[in-house]
Amino acid sequence: MRIAMIGAGYVGLVSGACFSDFGHEVICVDASRDRIDGLNRGEMPIYEPGLADLVAKNVREGRLSFTMDLPTAVSKADAVFIAVGTPSRRGDGHADLSYVYAATRQIAESIHPDAIVVTKSTVPVGTGDEVERILRDVRPNHSIEVVSNPEFLREGAAIGDFKRPDRIVIGTTNERARKVMTEIYRPLYLNEPPLVFTDRRTSELIKYAANAFLAVKITYINEIADLCEAVGANVQDVSRGIGLDNRIGSKFLHPGPGYGGSCFPKDTQALVKTAQDEGVALRIVESVVSVNDQRKRGMARRVVGALGGDARGKTIAILGLTFKPNTDDMRDAPSLALITALQDAGAHIRAYDPQGMEAAASLLTNVTFSENAYACVENADALVIVTEWDAFRALDLGRVHALLKTPILVDLRNIYRPGEMRAKGFVYVSVGRP
Ligand code: NAD
Ligand code: UGA
């Protein structure tokens, strides 16, 4: 199959590289010259474990290439995937579909009469209908089919998720489109992931329903963690105790500073907006959105509390800035709200992150970035662990203790054990544990 992937970001680049690794001929198109020039030099625009090697291998073997020339790439493709961004629309929280529709208009100009168009971007119900309308307006005589094929990969584990998915959702009722999609994903059948064939609107909704459910699960355990603190219970044991019930499942029950990232925040908001437009109340998701927003900034109270109630003039070391480990993505990272709140409380912020500092520097002001974790904590009044990078899980705690001005450690990801930390002389605060 010849595939044109429009958008070479987290989803487009990973999907394109994986499809080419399955043996398809893939050309990734991006509107950013820097991105395409970099990719043609072998430089990855994002940090994703294993991606550089996968891209290099498939470029070398002639199955993967990068271009800004959308018309040529699209004209030769059997399937054109749309993987451009769908951020929150400023002001109202709806998904901003301008990139999707702009890409569709460009695709319409040069698409092959028999090609299919596949939306991989996360798009609200009905977007596929509008994409189809745009294509049919420009190409009334083509037999173009528009398919929904939402992506469920996680950043930091993207290649594994793409190659070993829990399921593949394909929204189309057209037999020809179904055959093309089946052929594209055929190399995955060895692992037998369930293929969910459904209509396009249902497929679009499955994506939002999945992300919102995961956001609900995280927010639920975050609130249970708060209750644990109030009643002297241990949230880790609660997570294990409920997660062993197969009906609940153990994943996404880790409490923390609130979910962030490029997707849960915008997708929960967009789902609420869709429901409101339809006159349907999604009160659970509405609550989750507001509870999570308050939680991120609210984490600052925990830090100020550990400092004795006053952060003015204090230096706080922050370890971890990205919304999760193994990515350089800073979109809606909890660290942003936390750091701003601590600065509002009068604190000086020093920070270190293995991959996120470049992106963070453009989003934060008056933060001093350090070269490594130890330089970051030196002479600080408190240390806050915000992202659970592996590199922070086995810090030399004796050294950290000696470097800190006062041995206060606020662990927002529960990566250390309270008893051990206190035995080492730390004033240790975590989430939902006595
Ligand atoms: P991204 O911002 O990393 O990448 C989007 C890319 O599209 C950019 O490089 C941009 O330059 C390019 N682009 C925009 N308009 C274009 C056009 N007309 N022609 C060519 N290129 C164009 O976005 P992302 O994180 O990869 O997300 C893409 C979509 O996938 C979103 O809808 C998102 O919700 C969804 N999604 C993301 C993830 C994730 O982990 N990031 C996972 C599942 C689904
Ligand atoms: C999430 C989904 O997991 C993917 O299936 C989906 O494809 C993607 O969104 C998307 O649509 O873009 P991602 O945002 O990469 O993937 O990362 P997650 O691992 O889901 O984490 C999201 C946030 O939730 C992070 O801030 C993380 O720290 C937080 N989280 C996650 C918790 O606080 N506790 C948990 O138990 C799990």
Side-chain angles (χ1 to χ4, degrees), residues 159-204:
I159 294 169
D161 283 352
F162 193 90
K163 290 192 162 185
R164 287 177 295 282
D166 290 339
R167 79 306 206 180
I168 297 161
V169 175
I170 297 171
T172 179
T173 44
N174 176 271
E175 200 43 42
R176 185 174 61 88
R178 187 181 166 130
K179 278 201 183 120
V180 175
M181 293 304 285
T182 305
E183 188 56 24
I184 287 173
Y185 280 105
R186 194 173 45 80
L188 277 183
Y189 295 174
L190 270 183
N191 302 329
E192 296 182 349
L195 286 182
V196 180
F197 282 103
T198 182
D199 62 90
R200 198 163 60 202
R201 288 182 157 242
T202 306
S203 169
E204 289 168 339

mmCIF file of all heavy atoms in Angstrom, residues 159-204:
data_model
loop_
_atom_site.group_PDB
_atom_site.id
_atom_site.type_symbol
_atom_site.label_atom_id
_atom_site.label_comp_id
_atom_site.label_asym_id
_atom_site.label_seq_id
_atom_site.Cartn_x
_atom_site.Cartn_y
_atom_site.Cartn_z
ATOM 1 N N ILE A 159 5.583 3.509 20.082
ATOM 2 C CA ILE A 159 5.851 2.480 19.065
ATOM 3 C C ILE A 159 5.259 1.141 19.513
ATOM 4 O O ILE A 159 4.587 0.452 18.740
ATOM 5 C CB ILE A 159 7.362 2.386 18.780
ATOM 6 C CG1 ILE A 159 7.806 3.697 18.124
ATOM 7 C CG2 ILE A 159 7.688 1.191 17.882
ATOM 8 C CD1 ILE A 159 9.297 3.859 18.025
ATOM 9 N N GLY A 160 5.473 0.793 20.772
ATOM 10 C CA GLY A 160 4.896 -0.453 21.303
ATOM 11 C C GLY A 160 3.381 -0.423 21.226
ATOM 12 O O GLY A 160 2.747 -1.402 20.819
ATOM 13 N N ASP A 161 2.788 0.700 21.580
ATOM 14 C CA ASP A 161 1.318 0.809 21.529
ATOM 15 C C ASP A 161 0.808 0.667 20.105
ATOM 16 O O ASP A 161 -0.215 0.040 19.854
ATOM 17 C CB ASP A 161 0.859 2.174 22.089
ATOM 18 C CG ASP A 161 0.909 2.218 23.601
ATOM 19 O OD1 ASP A 161 1.149 1.172 24.223
ATOM 20 O OD2 ASP A 161 0.698 3.313 24.162
ATOM 21 N N PHE A 162 1.542 1.275 19.157
ATOM 22 C CA PHE A 162 1.076 1.225 17.765
ATOM 23 C C PHE A 162 1.199 -0.180 17.201
ATOM 24 O O PHE A 162 0.316 -0.656 16.484
ATOM 25 C CB PHE A 162 1.865 2.210 16.882
ATOM 26 C CG PHE A 162 1.207 2.417 15.547
ATOM 27 C CD1 PHE A 162 0.272 3.429 15.367
ATOM 28 C CD2 PHE A 162 1.484 1.585 14.474
ATOM 29 C CE1 PHE A 162 -0.375 3.607 14.149
ATOM 30 C CE2 PHE A 162 0.846 1.754 13.254
ATOM 31 C CZ PHE A 162 -0.086 2.764 13.088
ATOM 32 N N LYS A 163 2.285 -0.862 17.560
ATOM 33 C CA LYS A 163 2.527 -2.191 16.965
ATOM 34 C C LYS A 163 1.791 -3.302 17.689
ATOM 35 O O LYS A 163 1.562 -4.365 17.131
ATOM 36 C CB LYS A 163 4.026 -2.475 16.944
ATOM 37 C CG LYS A 163 4.768 -1.614 15.943
ATOM 38 C CD LYS A 163 6.162 -2.141 15.755
ATOM 39 C CE LYS A 163 6.783 -1.618 14.487
ATOM 40 N NZ LYS A 163 8.090 -2.220 14.263
ATOM 41 N N ARG A 164 1.455 -3.053 18.960
ATOM 42 C CA ARG A 164 0.713 -4.066 19.722
ATOM 43 C C ARG A 164 -0.514 -3.422 20.374
ATOM 44 O O ARG A 164 -0.620 -3.351 21.594
ATOM 45 C CB ARG A 164 1.616 -4.688 20.794
ATOM 46 C CG ARG A 164 2.675 -5.634 20.224
ATOM 47 C CD ARG A 164 3.589 -6.183 21.283
ATOM 48 N NE ARG A 164 4.399 -5.129 21.891
ATOM 49 C CZ ARG A 164 5.484 -4.595 21.322
ATOM 50 N NH1 ARG A 164 5.904 -5.024 20.156
ATOM 51 N NH2 ARG A 164 6.151 -3.627 21.913
ATOM 52 N N PRO A 165 -1.449 -2.958 19.544
ATOM 53 C CA PRO A 165 -2.599 -2.229 20.104
ATOM 54 C C PRO A 165 -3.585 -3.173 20.792
ATOM 55 O O PRO A 165 -3.642 -4.359 20.451
ATOM 56 C CB PRO A 165 -3.239 -1.599 18.860
ATOM 57 C CG PRO A 165 -2.876 -2.515 17.740
ATOM 58 C CD PRO A 165 -1.532 -3.093 18.071
ATOM 59 N N ASP A 166 -4.327 -2.636 21.760
ATOM 60 C CA ASP A 166 -5.388 -3.431 22.393
ATOM 61 C C ASP A 166 -6.507 -3.683 21.390
ATOM 62 O O ASP A 166 -7.190 -4.688 21.452
ATOM 63 C CB ASP A 166 -5.979 -2.685 23.598
ATOM 64 C CG ASP A 166 -4.979 -2.630 24.751
ATOM 65 O OD1 ASP A 166 -4.061 -3.475 24.756
ATOM 66 O OD2 ASP A 166 -5.110 -1.743 25.613
ATOM 67 N N ARG A 167 -6.720 -2.722 20.504
ATOM 68 C CA ARG A 167 -7.737 -2.861 19.458
ATOM 69 C C ARG A 167 -7.462 -1.821 18.385
ATOM 70 O O ARG A 167 -6.756 -0.836 18.608
ATOM 71 C CB ARG A 167 -9.166 -2.688 20.012
ATOM 72 C CG ARG A 167 -9.691 -1.280 20.285
ATOM 73 C CD ARG A 167 -8.830 -0.460 21.153
ATOM 74 N NE ARG A 167 -9.534 0.590 21.897
ATOM 75 C CZ ARG A 167 -8.901 1.408 22.715
ATOM 76 N NH1 ARG A 167 -7.587 1.358 22.882
ATOM 77 N NH2 ARG A 167 -9.578 2.339 23.376
ATOM 78 N N ILE A 168 -8.037 -2.081 17.203
ATOM 79 C CA ILE A 168 -7.961 -1.111 16.109
ATOM 80 C C ILE A 168 -9.404 -0.778 15.752
ATOM 81 O O ILE A 168 -10.205 -1.682 15.487
ATOM 82 C CB ILE A 168 -7.233 -1.721 14.893
ATOM 83 C CG1 ILE A 168 -5.779 -2.059 15.266
ATOM 84 C CG2 ILE A 168 -7.275 -0.769 13.705
ATOM 85 C CD1 ILE A 168 -5.133 -3.055 14.337
ATOM 86 N N VAL A 169 -9.730 0.494 15.806
ATOM 87 C CA VAL A 169 -11.113 0.908 15.526
ATOM 88 C C VAL A 169 -11.176 1.496 14.119
ATOM 89 O O VAL A 169 -10.386 2.385 13.768
ATOM 90 C CB VAL A 169 -11.597 1.935 16.576
ATOM 91 C CG1 VAL A 169 -12.986 2.449 16.219
ATOM 92 C CG2 VAL A 169 -11.598 1.309 17.976
ATOM 93 N N ILE A 170 -12.074 0.987 13.316
ATOM 94 C CA ILE A 170 -12.207 1.449 11.929
ATOM 95 C C ILE A 170 -13.663 1.816 11.666
ATOM 96 O O ILE A 170 -14.555 0.957 11.734
ATOM 97 C CB ILE A 170 -11.725 0.360 10.946
ATOM 98 C CG1 ILE A 170 -10.218 0.097 11.182
ATOM 99 C CG2 ILE A 170 -11.969 0.789 9.496
ATOM 100 C CD1 ILE A 170 -9.665 -1.081 10.434
ATOM 101 N N GLY A 171 -13.879 3.099 11.392
ATOM 102 C CA GLY A 171 -15.238 3.582 11.171
ATOM 103 C C GLY A 171 -15.529 3.780 9.701
ATOM 104 O O GLY A 171 -15.139 4.800 9.113
ATOM 105 N N THR A 172 -16.174 2.788 9.121
ATOM 106 C CA THR A 172 -16.653 2.929 7.732
ATOM 107 C C THR A 172 -17.714 1.859 7.467
ATOM 108 O O THR A 172 -17.652 0.778 8.035
ATOM 109 C CB THR A 172 -15.513 2.765 6.693
ATOM 110 O OG1 THR A 172 -16.074 2.898 5.386
ATOM 111 C CG2 THR A 172 -14.827 1.406 6.790
ATOM 112 N N THR A 173 -18.650 2.174 6.616
ATOM 113 C CA THR A 173 -19.625 1.150 6.239
ATOM 114 C C THR A 173 -19.425 0.774 4.770
ATOM 115 O O THR A 173 -20.214 0.042 4.204
ATOM 116 C CB THR A 173 -21.066 1.684 6.448
ATOM 117 O OG1 THR A 173 -21.134 3.018 5.953
ATOM 118 C CG2 THR A 173 -21.451 1.675 7.906
ATOM 119 N N ASN A 174 -18.345 1.280 4.184
ATOM 120 C CA ASN A 174 -18.088 1.028 2.760
ATOM 121 C C ASN A 174 -17.159 -0.188 2.606
ATOM 122 O O ASN A 174 -16.102 -0.252 3.233
ATOM 123 C CB ASN A 174 -17.443 2.285 2.165
ATOM 124 C CG ASN A 174 -17.049 2.084 0.727
ATOM 125 O OD1 ASN A 174 -15.942 1.638 0.438
ATOM 126 N ND2 ASN A 174 -17.963 2.411 -0.177
ATOM 127 N N GLU A 175 -17.539 -1.102 1.782
ATOM 128 C CA GLU A 175 -16.802 -2.373 1.652
ATOM 129 C C GLU A 175 -15.397 -2.165 1.084
ATOM 130 O O GLU A 175 -14.423 -2.762 1.544
ATOM 131 C CB GLU A 175 -17.627 -3.328 0.764
ATOM 132 C CG GLU A 175 -17.275 -4.780 0.913
ATOM 133 C CD GLU A 175 -17.068 -5.255 2.360
ATOM 134 O OE1 GLU A 175 -17.846 -4.875 3.274
ATOM 135 O OE2 GLU A 175 -16.081 -5.985 2.587
ATOM 136 N N ARG A 176 -15.270 -1.284 0.099
ATOM 137 C CA ARG A 176 -13.953 -1.050 -0.507
ATOM 138 C C ARG A 176 -12.991 -0.441 0.528
ATOM 139 O O ARG A 176 -11.845 -0.874 0.666
ATOM 140 C CB ARG A 176 -14.116 -0.104 -1.714
ATOM 141 C CG ARG A 176 -12.843 0.124 -2.490
ATOM 142 C CD ARG A 176 -13.117 0.958 -3.747
ATOM 143 N NE ARG A 176 -13.646 2.289 -3.448
ATOM 144 C CZ ARG A 176 -12.889 3.358 -3.220
ATOM 145 N NH1 ARG A 176 -11.576 3.264 -3.256
ATOM 146 N NH2 ARG A 176 -13.440 4.543 -2.956
ATOM 147 N N ALA A 177 -13.492 0.560 1.267
ATOM 148 C CA ALA A 177 -12.654 1.194 2.287
ATOM 149 C C ALA A 177 -12.264 0.182 3.366
ATOM 150 O O ALA A 177 -11.130 0.163 3.853
ATOM 151 C CB ALA A 177 -13.407 2.366 2.916
ATOM 152 N N ARG A 178 -13.192 -0.689 3.702
ATOM 153 C CA ARG A 178 -12.927 -1.707 4.712
ATOM 154 C C ARG A 178 -11.793 -2.624 4.245
ATOM 155 O O ARG A 178 -10.894 -2.978 5.014
ATOM 156 C CB ARG A 178 -14.226 -2.502 4.931
ATOM 157 C CG ARG A 178 -14.168 -3.486 6.060
ATOM 158 C CD ARG A 178 -15.507 -4.218 6.144
ATOM 159 N NE ARG A 178 -15.356 -5.385 6.993
ATOM 160 C CZ ARG A 178 -16.143 -5.696 7.994
ATOM 161 N NH1 ARG A 178 -17.159 -4.941 8.294
ATOM 162 N NH2 ARG A 178 -15.922 -6.764 8.710
ATOM 163 N N LYS A 179 -11.814 -2.963 2.974
ATOM 164 C CA LYS A 179 -10.766 -3.851 2.419
ATOM 165 C C LYS A 179 -9.397 -3.161 2.478
ATOM 166 O O LYS A 179 -8.395 -3.773 2.842
ATOM 167 C CB LYS A 179 -11.105 -4.215 0.966
ATOM 168 C CG LYS A 179 -12.103 -5.349 0.877
ATOM 169 C CD LYS A 179 -12.035 -6.022 -0.500
ATOM 170 C CE LYS A 179 -13.107 -7.106 -0.577
ATOM 171 N NZ LYS A 179 -14.073 -6.873 -1.663
ATOM 172 N N VAL A 180 -9.356 -1.878 2.090
ATOM 173 C CA VAL A 180 -8.071 -1.162 2.113
ATOM 174 C C VAL A 180 -7.541 -1.091 3.549
ATOM 175 O O VAL A 180 -6.358 -1.363 3.806
ATOM 176 C CB VAL A 180 -8.225 0.269 1.520
ATOM 177 C CG1 VAL A 180 -6.923 1.052 1.650
ATOM 178 C CG2 VAL A 180 -8.674 0.211 0.069
ATOM 179 N N MET A 181 -8.412 -0.767 4.501
ATOM 180 C CA MET A 181 -7.979 -0.661 5.899
ATOM 181 C C MET A 181 -7.513 -2.017 6.430
ATOM 182 O O MET A 181 -6.533 -2.107 7.172
ATOM 183 C CB MET A 181 -9.119 -0.108 6.777
ATOM 184 C CG MET A 181 -9.505 1.332 6.490
ATOM 185 S SD MET A 181 -8.115 2.483 6.612
ATOM 186 C CE MET A 181 -7.905 2.581 8.390
ATOM 187 N N THR A 182 -8.216 -3.069 6.031
ATOM 188 C CA THR A 182 -7.829 -4.407 6.464
ATOM 189 C C THR A 182 -6.440 -4.752 5.933
ATOM 190 O O THR A 182 -5.599 -5.309 6.642
ATOM 191 C CB THR A 182 -8.867 -5.444 5.942
ATOM 192 O OG1 THR A 182 -10.153 -5.025 6.383
ATOM 193 C CG2 THR A 182 -8.585 -6.830 6.454
ATOM 194 N N GLU A 183 -6.178 -4.357 4.700
ATOM 195 C CA GLU A 183 -4.876 -4.620 4.082
ATOM 196 C C GLU A 183 -3.774 -3.807 4.797
ATOM 197 O O GLU A 183 -2.684 -4.320 5.050
ATOM 198 C CB GLU A 183 -4.970 -4.239 2.591
ATOM 199 C CG GLU A 183 -3.779 -4.611 1.749
ATOM 200 C CD GLU A 183 -3.433 -6.101 1.800
ATOM 201 O OE1 GLU A 183 -4.328 -6.917 2.098
ATOM 202 O OE2 GLU A 183 -2.250 -6.429 1.581
ATOM 203 N N ILE A 184 -4.086 -2.567 5.142
ATOM 204 C CA ILE A 184 -3.080 -1.723 5.796
ATOM 205 C C ILE A 184 -2.683 -2.323 7.150
ATOM 206 O O ILE A 184 -1.515 -2.336 7.520
ATOM 207 C CB ILE A 184 -3.625 -0.275 5.965
ATOM 208 C CG1 ILE A 184 -3.656 0.418 4.603
ATOM 209 C CG2 ILE A 184 -2.795 0.534 6.957
ATOM 210 C CD1 ILE A 184 -4.316 1.792 4.600
ATOM 211 N N TYR A 185 -3.656 -2.831 7.904
ATOM 212 C CA TYR A 185 -3.353 -3.344 9.247
ATOM 213 C C TYR A 185 -3.056 -4.850 9.261
ATOM 214 O O TYR A 185 -2.793 -5.414 10.322
ATOM 215 C CB TYR A 185 -4.517 -3.032 10.206
ATOM 216 C CG TYR A 185 -4.468 -1.602 10.710
ATOM 217 C CD1 TYR A 185 -5.348 -0.640 10.227
ATOM 218 C CD2 TYR A 185 -3.527 -1.215 11.657
ATOM 219 C CE1 TYR A 185 -5.303 0.674 10.676
ATOM 220 C CE2 TYR A 185 -3.468 0.088 12.114
ATOM 221 C CZ TYR A 185 -4.360 1.037 11.625
ATOM 222 O OH TYR A 185 -4.291 2.329 12.089
ATOM 223 N N ARG A 186 -3.085 -5.499 8.067
ATOM 224 C CA ARG A 186 -2.904 -6.953 8.015
ATOM 225 C C ARG A 186 -1.630 -7.434 8.726
ATOM 226 O O ARG A 186 -1.678 -8.434 9.456
ATOM 227 C CB ARG A 186 -2.922 -7.434 6.554
ATOM 228 C CG ARG A 186 -3.073 -8.940 6.401
ATOM 229 C CD ARG A 186 -3.260 -9.332 4.947
ATOM 230 N NE ARG A 186 -2.337 -8.648 4.036
ATOM 231 C CZ ARG A 186 -1.080 -9.000 3.838
ATOM 232 N NH1 ARG A 186 -0.601 -10.046 4.440
ATOM 233 N NH2 ARG A 186 -0.315 -8.323 3.019
ATOM 234 N N PRO A 187 -0.488 -6.713 8.576
ATOM 235 C CA PRO A 187 0.727 -7.204 9.249
ATOM 236 C C PRO A 187 0.563 -7.353 10.767
ATOM 237 O O PRO A 187 1.332 -8.056 11.400
ATOM 238 C CB PRO A 187 1.759 -6.132 8.910
ATOM 239 C CG PRO A 187 1.257 -5.508 7.654
ATOM 240 C CD PRO A 187 -0.232 -5.530 7.754
ATOM 241 N N LEU A 188 -0.420 -6.684 11.342
ATOM 242 C CA LEU A 188 -0.615 -6.771 12.802
ATOM 243 C C LEU A 188 -1.417 -8.001 13.203
ATOM 244 O O LEU A 188 -1.516 -8.310 14.392
ATOM 245 C CB LEU A 188 -1.369 -5.531 13.309
ATOM 246 C CG LEU A 188 -0.536 -4.295 13.570
ATOM 247 C CD1 LEU A 188 -1.421 -3.193 14.132
ATOM 248 C CD2 LEU A 188 0.554 -4.610 14.576
ATOM 249 N N TYR A 189 -1.995 -8.697 12.233
ATOM 250 C CA TYR A 189 -2.919 -9.779 12.607
ATOM 251 C C TYR A 189 -2.239 -10.924 13.324
ATOM 252 O O TYR A 189 -2.897 -11.671 14.051
ATOM 253 C CB TYR A 189 -3.668 -10.333 11.376
ATOM 254 C CG TYR A 189 -4.584 -9.329 10.736
ATOM 255 C CD1 TYR A 189 -5.239 -9.625 9.558
ATOM 256 C CD2 TYR A 189 -4.791 -8.082 11.308
ATOM 257 C CE1 TYR A 189 -6.073 -8.693 8.959
ATOM 258 C CE2 TYR A 189 -5.610 -7.152 10.706
ATOM 259 C CZ TYR A 189 -6.249 -7.457 9.531
ATOM 260 O OH TYR A 189 -7.062 -6.539 8.939
ATOM 261 N N LEU A 190 -0.904 -11.043 13.144
ATOM 262 C CA LEU A 190 -0.169 -12.084 13.858
ATOM 263 C C LEU A 190 -0.449 -12.006 15.355
ATOM 264 O O LEU A 190 -0.621 -13.005 16.040
ATOM 265 C CB LEU A 190 1.332 -11.890 13.641
ATOM 266 C CG LEU A 190 1.939 -12.602 12.441
ATOM 267 C CD1 LEU A 190 3.442 -12.361 12.423
ATOM 268 C CD2 LEU A 190 1.649 -14.102 12.510
ATOM 269 N N ASN A 191 -0.515 -10.761 15.867
ATOM 270 C CA ASN A 191 -0.791 -10.572 17.302
ATOM 271 C C ASN A 191 -2.281 -10.587 17.598
ATOM 272 O O ASN A 191 -2.698 -10.435 18.741
ATOM 273 C CB ASN A 191 -0.214 -9.228 17.785
ATOM 274 C CG ASN A 191 1.270 -9.142 17.553
ATOM 275 O OD1 ASN A 191 1.944 -10.155 17.600
ATOM 276 N ND2 ASN A 191 1.776 -7.948 17.296
ATOM 277 N N GLU A 192 -3.098 -10.675 16.553
ATOM 278 C CA GLU A 192 -4.545 -10.766 16.667
ATOM 279 C C GLU A 192 -5.208 -9.684 17.509
ATOM 280 O O GLU A 192 -5.988 -9.982 18.408
ATOM 281 C CB GLU A 192 -4.940 -12.154 17.198
ATOM 282 C CG GLU A 192 -4.540 -13.242 16.220
ATOM 283 C CD GLU A 192 -4.970 -14.628 16.693
ATOM 284 O OE1 GLU A 192 -5.383 -14.752 17.848
ATOM 285 O OE2 GLU A 192 -4.903 -15.543 15.885
ATOM 286 N N PRO A 193 -4.905 -8.417 17.252
ATOM 287 C CA PRO A 193 -5.635 -7.385 17.989
ATOM 288 C C PRO A 193 -7.070 -7.333 17.471
ATOM 289 O O PRO A 193 -7.280 -7.453 16.258
ATOM 290 C CB PRO A 193 -4.900 -6.097 17.622
ATOM 291 C CG PRO A 193 -4.303 -6.374 16.292
ATOM 292 C CD PRO A 193 -4.027 -7.854 16.217
ATOM 293 N N PRO A 194 -8.055 -7.180 18.345
ATOM 294 C CA PRO A 194 -9.424 -7.096 17.848
ATOM 295 C C PRO A 194 -9.600 -5.897 16.911
ATOM 296 O O PRO A 194 -9.123 -4.803 17.201
ATOM 297 C CB PRO A 194 -10.250 -6.893 19.121
ATOM 298 C CG PRO A 194 -9.373 -7.317 20.235
ATOM 299 C CD PRO A 194 -7.963 -7.090 19.793
ATOM 300 N N LEU A 195 -10.233 -6.135 15.793
ATOM 301 C CA LEU A 195 -10.591 -5.053 14.877
ATOM 302 C C LEU A 195 -12.043 -4.701 15.164
ATOM 303 O O LEU A 195 -12.912 -5.571 15.093
ATOM 304 C CB LEU A 195 -10.496 -5.518 13.427
ATOM 305 C CG LEU A 195 -9.116 -5.699 12.808
ATOM 306 C CD1 LEU A 195 -9.247 -6.117 11.357
ATOM 307 C CD2 LEU A 195 -8.332 -4.401 12.883
ATOM 308 N N VAL A 196 -12.281 -3.447 15.487
ATOM 309 C CA VAL A 196 -13.658 -3.026 15.746
ATOM 310 C C VAL A 196 -14.135 -2.250 14.530
ATOM 311 O O VAL A 196 -13.707 -1.110 14.309
ATOM 312 C CB VAL A 196 -13.733 -2.138 17.014
ATOM 313 C CG1 VAL A 196 -15.165 -1.700 17.271
ATOM 314 C CG2 VAL A 196 -13.169 -2.868 18.222
ATOM 315 N N PHE A 197 -14.951 -2.880 13.708
ATOM 316 C CA PHE A 197 -15.532 -2.176 12.563
ATOM 317 C C PHE A 197 -16.859 -1.583 12.994
ATOM 318 O O PHE A 197 -17.688 -2.266 13.609
ATOM 319 C CB PHE A 197 -15.764 -3.134 11.391
ATOM 320 C CG PHE A 197 -14.508 -3.455 10.647
ATOM 321 C CD1 PHE A 197 -13.867 -4.665 10.830
ATOM 322 C CD2 PHE A 197 -13.958 -2.533 9.766
ATOM 323 C CE1 PHE A 197 -12.696 -4.951 10.138
ATOM 324 C CE2 PHE A 197 -12.781 -2.813 9.074
ATOM 325 C CZ PHE A 197 -12.159 -4.031 9.262
ATOM 326 N N THR A 198 -17.033 -0.313 12.703
ATOM 327 C CA THR A 198 -18.278 0.350 13.082
ATOM 328 C C THR A 198 -18.523 1.490 12.093
ATOM 329 O O THR A 198 -17.762 1.671 11.147
ATOM 330 C CB THR A 198 -18.195 0.845 14.548
ATOM 331 O OG1 THR A 198 -19.442 1.447 14.909
ATOM 332 C CG2 THR A 198 -17.091 1.877 14.746
ATOM 333 N N ASP A 199 -19.581 2.240 12.313
ATOM 334 C CA ASP A 199 -19.791 3.379 11.420
ATOM 335 C C ASP A 199 -18.883 4.534 11.850
ATOM 336 O O ASP A 199 -18.316 4.525 12.944
ATOM 337 C CB ASP A 199 -21.275 3.791 11.434
ATOM 338 C CG ASP A 199 -21.697 4.235 12.809
ATOM 339 O OD1 ASP A 199 -21.571 5.441 13.106
ATOM 340 O OD2 ASP A 199 -22.114 3.379 13.620
ATOM 341 N N ARG A 200 -18.771 5.519 10.973
ATOM 342 C CA ARG A 200 -17.795 6.585 11.185
ATOM 343 C C ARG A 200 -18.073 7.415 12.444
ATOM 344 O O ARG A 200 -17.174 7.715 13.220
ATOM 345 C CB ARG A 200 -17.798 7.481 9.943
ATOM 346 C CG ARG A 200 -16.583 8.342 9.824
ATOM 347 C CD ARG A 200 -16.458 8.870 8.421
ATOM 348 N NE ARG A 200 -17.611 9.670 8.039
ATOM 349 C CZ ARG A 200 -17.955 9.896 6.766
ATOM 350 N NH1 ARG A 200 -17.243 9.389 5.781
ATOM 351 N NH2 ARG A 200 -19.002 10.637 6.482
ATOM 352 N N ARG A 201 -19.321 7.764 12.669
ATOM 353 C CA ARG A 201 -19.641 8.596 13.840
ATOM 354 C C ARG A 201 -19.344 7.855 15.138
ATOM 355 O O ARG A 201 -18.823 8.431 16.105
ATOM 356 C CB ARG A 201 -21.111 9.022 13.808
ATOM 357 C CG ARG A 201 -21.360 10.060 12.741
ATOM 358 C CD ARG A 201 -22.804 10.539 12.731
ATOM 359 N NE ARG A 201 -22.821 11.842 12.110
ATOM 360 C CZ ARG A 201 -23.211 12.967 12.709
ATOM 361 N NH1 ARG A 201 -23.673 12.949 13.937
ATOM 362 N NH2 ARG A 201 -23.169 14.111 12.077
ATOM 363 N N THR A 202 -19.688 6.582 15.163
ATOM 364 C CA THR A 202 -19.434 5.803 16.379
ATOM 365 C C THR A 202 -17.932 5.717 16.632
ATOM 366 O O THR A 202 -17.466 5.861 17.772
ATOM 367 C CB THR A 202 -20.034 4.387 16.234
ATOM 368 O OG1 THR A 202 -21.408 4.516 15.896
ATOM 369 C CG2 THR A 202 -19.890 3.599 17.519
ATOM 370 N N SER A 203 -17.173 5.510 15.567
ATOM 371 C CA SER A 203 -15.717 5.426 15.695
ATOM 372 C C SER A 203 -15.161 6.736 16.273
ATOM 373 O O SER A 203 -14.304 6.728 17.168
ATOM 374 C CB SER A 203 -15.117 5.148 14.320
ATOM 375 O OG SER A 203 -13.743 5.308 14.339
ATOM 376 N N GLU A 204 -15.666 7.853 15.774
ATOM 377 C CA GLU A 204 -15.195 9.152 16.283
ATOM 378 C C GLU A 204 -15.500 9.286 17.777
ATOM 379 O O GLU A 204 -14.676 9.772 18.563
ATOM 380 C CB GLU A 204 -15.854 10.293 15.490
ATOM 381 C CG GLU A 204 -15.330 10.401 14.051
ATOM 382 C CD GLU A 204 -16.148 11.328 13.139
ATOM 383 O OE1 GLU A 204 -17.340 11.606 13.436
ATOM 384 O OE2 GLU A 204 -15.614 11.766 12.116
#
